[in-house]
Amino acid sequence: MSLLKVEDISVYYGDIRALWGVSFSVEQGNTVALIGANGAGKTTTLKAICGLLPLSDGRIIYKNQNIANMPVHQVVEQGITLIPEGRQIFPKMTVEENLLVGSYLRRAKAKRSKNLARVYELFPRLAERRKQVAETLSGGEQQMLAVGRGLMQDPDLIMLDEPSLGLAPVIVHEVFSVIKELARTGLTVLLVEQNVHQTLKIADYCYVIERGKVVKGGHSKDLEEDSAVREAYLGF
Amino acid sequence: AYGDEGRNYFKVGVITSLSGDLATGGNVTKRGYDLWAQEVNRLGGIEIDGKKYPVKLVYADAQSEPSAGASAAERLATQEKVDFILGPYSSGVTLACAPVLEKYKIPMITGSAESPIIWKQKFRYTFGTIPPVNYTGSTPMKTLASLTPPPKTAIILGSNDAFSKATAEAFKASAEALGIKILKYDIVPQGQDLTPYMAVAKATRPDIIAFGGHDEELINLVKALRQINYTPKALLMHYGVTEPAFVEALGKDAEGVFGATVWTSTIPTHGEVLWPDAKSYAEAALKAFNVPADYTQAGSSAAGIAFQVALAQIKATPPLSPEEREALVEALEKINIRTFYGTVNFATEGQYYHANVGLTPLTVQIQNGHTAIVGPPEYAESPAIYPMKPWNQR
Amino acid sequence: MLQLLPQAIVDGILIGGIYITVAIGFSLAYGVMHVIDFAVGEWIMLGAFMGFYLNRWLGLEPILLFPVIFLSFFVVGLWIQPLIHRVLSGRRGNPVLMGLVFTFGLALMIRGIALTVFGFYSHSIPSSLAQGSLFFQVGPIFVTIPLIRLTGLGYAVLVTMGLYYILHRTDFGLAVRALAQHKEAAGLMGVNARRTGGHVYGLYTGISATTGALIGCIFSISAQMGPDYTIFAFFVVVLAGMGYLPGVPWAAFLLGFVQSFFLIYLSPSYTMLAVFAALYLILLISPKGIFGKGV
Amino acid sequence: MGRKFYASISVVVLLFLVVPLVVHDTFYLRVITEAIMWIGLAVTWDVLAGYTGYLNFGHGAFFGIGAYTTAILMVHKGWPFFAASIAGGAMAGLGALIAGIPTLRLRGAYFAIATWALARAIQQLALILDITGGPDGMRLPPFLQPGFFFYVMGGTVLIIFIVFWYLFEVHPFGLKVKAIRENEDGAMAMGLNPARIKIKVFIISAVPTGIIGGIYAYWITYIDPSSTLGDLVTDQAVVMAVFGGLGTLIGPAIGALIISTFKTYFWAYLSDYQVLYLIILGGLIALSVVFMPDGLWGTVYGKIQNARLAGSKEKR
Amino acid sequence: MGHPVLNVQSVTMAFGGLRAVDDVSFDVKPGEIVGLIGPNGAGKTTLFNVISGYLKPTQGRIFFHGDDITGKPPYDLAKIGIGRTFQIVKPFAGLSVLENVMVAVLLKHPSKKNAEANAHAVLEFTGLLDKAHMPASSLTLPGRKRLEIAKALALEPSLLLLDEVMAGLNPTEVKETTGLIQQVRDRGVTVLLIEHNMRVIMSLSHRVIVLNYGEKIAEGSPKEVAENPLVIKAYLGEEMAV
Ligand SMILES: Nc1ncnc2c1ncn2[C@@H]1O[C@H](COP(=O)(O)OP(=O)(O)OP(=O)(O)O)[C@@H](O)[C@H]1O
Ligand SMILES: Nc1ncnc2c1ncn2[C@@H]1O[C@H](COP(=O)(O)OP(=O)(O)OP(=O)(O)O)[C@@H](O)[C@H]1O
Ligand SMILES: [Mg+2]
Ligand SMILES: [Mg+2]
């Protein structure tokens, strides 16, 4: 049964329509990727799921419950976490404080120390820098912090919006191995990436979004073979 | 001839600051004008040649702003076509209204603008029932100088607004003339916290602390002295102490503070028109507004009386023609009548041109929660309490 | 003249103490919600009048009334905040300006209502603490410390430490700081921006109102007193760096010192000029407050 | 748009010329003159706020500098009015230059409060100096011709409006200014010198304000620190501009007209309810910000645009 | 002429104790595309900020066509032909895409009519023409990056500094943009390019400079650099090594 089912959602920015009835579903325990050209509506979709943007139409079924237009702080309380585009860490707080904010949720508060240990284990670099002010971290470290902060929320579904953006190749590699590791521990992952090559390698399932609509969906391996996808998104 | 033909009442313009920074005082003047109008109308109106003409007040708010004051004057003169005007609370607004009224030749008496600068301008159509502070400010110093042991030193302060600064200057001039040594003289910004100043000044142990300022500043100064626990022999302020708010806010701490005024509800005056004496006026005022009358309100009512008397003298009936208004000015210049407020007699030359110089300035002191006249001797109700009782022995 | 120095310093600190509580809640509200609240002086005024009437009816020492005043205005703040939230999260326009104009309108309204209800006259809150002072003298050197102002300083220290504790030692504080630094990300962390903002605003109105009651013991109060304190709140907060709480006490003391030194050593006429000039100069040298840490 | 613009300007000019012929009542003439003055002040404030994003909370200081310069030159130096008021504008411009070089480095709320502090400092200075008469203020030779002041004030504001329109809406200068408002760093990379352009706008905003101040001084015949250098001038200009709609020239003008008229009438005929005025004005401001964040003009204009868009969509 | 377009001599940029750029020197010759790579926080953007006048170097000099431009403000540099984009994009959000570009065009074409025509041409070249009348705020991040390029090009610069303009583009879009940059170079513009996408760096640049902790650790042809063990360790990672 699907953990998340997005049904025919539409979103407007003022008068401009960004999503035209997007539908897809994410199975428990899977890693699912959304790919598409820039401006296709991937970020918009993730934000809409979180309640950061109001839906004009459609339903979002999560754990058999419609969470469409639920305020964001309640959505995350249900176990959905978004690692936003551009990291959005709290610049003046220390690394550890950033992580602690992650466990502000009621669902995560009790597991605070356990999760903290887990994050530090996953990202030893963050452990080294726990007292450092977040804004002085390098881009890669900030990305780790953002992921770590998301994990502190003890999510069931983690959504990542272009986590490799602007990172050095060596770090990009690290980020992807972290995502693989997360999936291995049983977390459900919804990933938006422009690094389509690597994404298709780690995702079980993939949807293609074009101009605010899902135009294709399938197993990653199948899509990798699909000539239209290869031409549009892989540069072949 | 002029205005609404056949009008059988006097149309009286009232310009005052009902809002803005000076609304407190503006409302006091309004009460004074209102009370006069009520009283006149209760008696059937102003009697001219045996016939009575009621008065009707038309208000215009100057919002404590000169430009609004000028607009108000313009409206009263051209739209309302008033016969004469009861004037604004503050000197700033008065200075902006006066030229407009000069142009339209409409006489105005203000009951409260007490800054000396107005009278230096020598406006022909502008009069004032309240003498300027430089006229009244010397009396309390004289009273203080006559006490035993005579005070020898003083600190004199003024807040930096037109009225308060003139007050401080007047205090200073008379102190110098009386040979009191001035230890410090300063004009301070409005609203300034004076505690540090006083904490240091207290080391020089001045006999007199004299301060020109507005009500909240006066209260602040007393509280500051109380807090640093310094009691000068005499604490002198100006009109502010006669305001009920002063005693109400300070309670025991207001006791013994000196002030100056030209009118209190206990002053022995004899009125020929309307109220026979200060006491009956005070009672009428309390009845009408449930607020005790002060000198500003009294001066404002007296402004109405001055008009009333001058009109009766020239036998002008409403609406007033330009010639009649001219005659009214001439009559006002000659007027010399006794009222509940004191004698009204406008100067016709010199620095007090058109200000009322018929009054005797008074020295007052807060005694048992009331304003008691303590000088000059011929008016004194009770002896001055001097030196002031230390704060913590009250 | 040197013997006046201790007094000048003490006075600077005591004046500063009052400014701390005038400004600290305001700084907090700015830091979290980015609202320049023109009504800060009006909250102070309302608190002062609440203190005045409660004292008159109950005869209690004003300090004892602080909890009641704080709670009442905390609730008022909770009430007002959604409107401000709405104004500030408007999609278009300049939110800083919009917040400023909104609260400007709010301030006018409050003042108008207060004038109607309380009248124009000045009042004072009697307090037994306002009746005495500590006096020290060593040779020619002397210092007077009014008790009520010392109380004010004590209250300022208490409020400052209390706020520090809340912000840095509680989860609520964590949420508040997160909200201040990145609103959207804070939402993603489960921080309810409206509710948390409401509590912050409530803290601010509560602190300001109790400060008003304190001011009523030291100075006179009137329905028109608000803008005078708004000015000083702005002043301190800008000097401190807007929204930078640790800067507030120092900025407040600096302001206190400028005043006490000008009053005591230089010409009192120039006190206000000096205060404004100081603000201007400091902003030029360090555009984000004396510590350069404003937002 | 060009033709429409000239047509509307001609209509305004015509209206303006005939007003005194129709309005004989000097009180109304005064009220209209004052409304025009506020239009001028709101618009001059808005060119800085709306077009560069800098909220000048010391705008009134330029007004006051103009007023005092005019008064001092006329009273102490015997200058004729026109020369004196232009000198008032020049002094205000000079003030903007001196004040702007350092303050325009500040951003957001800091600039707002720094300019406000500066204005307060200037007010304190006027209270202390001798040449300004201190708290007593200054009186100018009365010249009480409402028609004259109507034409002078109206003409000045009309010229200001046309010049601003050209500079900010027609000439590329306006685009550059907006670019700086949107992103200063980005604008620098485009070859724009933000400091210089901002100073220019600051001066452009100050000079006419000073001239208006000069006209005011001669018109009202009396100035003092609280009425010309207080917060009132700035506060009202801000409120009018925001109420009307920032970042346009028409919005503030409309805002000024409505609020100034409301105010005058309220005072003139309802002054018994004076305190109510504060409550009504305050409420009006607060509500307008909540429900019309783009201001009156922005909201109405937006509605019209939307209606037009909807209309054209339907046609397709 | 013999002068390199850009000559960076021992430039150091320190923030307090942190030397974000540490004694870096290099040349860029006319018509070259030079890649600048290095780990996050290596100082690449900081170096751009120094070259384009946003930061005054703590030490060192910078020459542009042989003239010392050290410490000159950005707007003067824009006038003499240095165009740049920002990693953190800086669009004029409230203006339309066309107006954004017009602001830049005005530098060389001060009349409004000319400017509009030129801006259209630039938008067409960069593929933004269909968005010309949309507000810049409605563009997505990659759209904004493209707008950055358009604005920088509109200055008609002789040296173009591009800071991660490909970040966030998918491989196909990267390919398009790569083509665009090649065309720019063919028009005679010299390009200095920061990019984390090694595919791009390898295919576009004639020469690559590598920074690490502010220091230049390698310089050479793409191939040389990619094989340099220091670069592999600090930047590429073993898996990426070619
Ligand atoms: N704040 C906004 N205002 C108006 N339009 C917007 C806004 N944000 C996004 N859009 C529009 O919505 C559409 C979808 O944008 P979205 O950010 O979801 O794209 P994306 O697929 O995440 O692209 P990218 O790869 O560029 O991140 C785009 O056409 C964009 O122009
Ligand atoms: N204004 C500044 N003040 C203090 N430190 C700064 C400043 N600007 C940059 N730094 C620091 O200088 C270092 C270099 O930063 P820079 O932005 O140049 O890195 P970069 O190479 O562009 O990295 P990335 O690839 O992540 O964009 C970083 O550690 C950064 O935190
Ligand atoms: Mg996106
Ligand atoms: Mg960078």
Side-chain angles (χ1 to χ4, degrees), chain B residues 18-19 27 30 59 61 63 65-67 70-71 74-75 78-80 92 95-96 99-100 103-104 117 121 123 160-162 165 189, chain D residues 25-28 30 34 124 127-128 134-136 139 142 144-146 216 220-222 224 226-227 232 263 267-269 271-272 274:
Chain B
L18 298 174
S19 60
N27 279 285
K30 180 171 183 284
Y59 302 104
D61 187 359
Q63 307 161 44
E65 288 297 319
S67 64
S71 290
E74 189 94 42
R75 181 170 79 86
T78 61
Q79 278 200 335
E80 301 290 352
L95 284 167
V100 177
K103 179 183 164 195
Y104 294 110
I117 45 178
Q121 309 295 331
F123 292 112
N160 199 3
D161 63 83
K165 194 176 163 194
Chain D
D25 189 311
T26 49
F27 170 66
Y28 284 125
R30 209 178 242 282
E34 182 158 0
Q124 286 294 323
L127 277 167
I128 295 166
D136 293 347
R139 242 173 72 68
L144 301 162
Q145 300 296 331
Y216 168 91
I220 301 301
T221 75
Y222 174 72
D224 69 350
S226 67
S227 62
L232 189 93
K263 190 178 138 147
W267 289 132
Y269 301 112
S271 43
D272 265 2
Q274 9 90 21

Side-chain angles (χ1 to χ4, degrees), chain A residues 135-136 139 166, chain E residues 15 18 20 38-46 87 164 196:
Chain A
E135 65 183 344
T136 63
Chain E
F15 299 112
L18 173 80
N40 297 105
K44 305 179 295 294
T45 300
T46 306
Q87 180 180 3
E164 295 200 33
H196 283 306

Side-chain angles (χ1 to χ4, degrees), chain A residues 11-20 34-47 53 85 161-162 165 192-194 209 211-212, chain C residues 91, chain E residues 131 134-144 167-170 173:
Chain A
V11 171
Y12 286 82
Y13 289 103
D15 303 325
I16 303 167
R17 187 163 185 183
L19 298 187
W20 302 72
L34 292 181
I35 61 171
N38 84 65
K42 305 178 295 293
T43 300
T44 307
T45 304
L46 296 192
K47 282 189 169 177
L53 292 172
E85 197 172 2
D161 195 356
E162 306 207 23
L165 186 76
V192 164
E193 254 302 335
Q194 295 288 17
I209 297 194
R211 283 187 221 93
Chain C
R91 190 172 45 88
Chain E
K131 302 214 165 67
M134 284 170 53
S137 58
S138 71
L139 296 179
T140 60
L141 185 67
R144 291 177 193 200
L169 303 193
N170 70 37
E173 293 160 342

Side-chain angles (χ1 to χ4, degrees), chain E residues 68-80:
Chain E
D68 190 346
I69 56 162
T70 321
K72 282 206 176 153
Y75 39 87
D76 285 345
L77 298 180
K79 282 177 197 152
I80 59 172

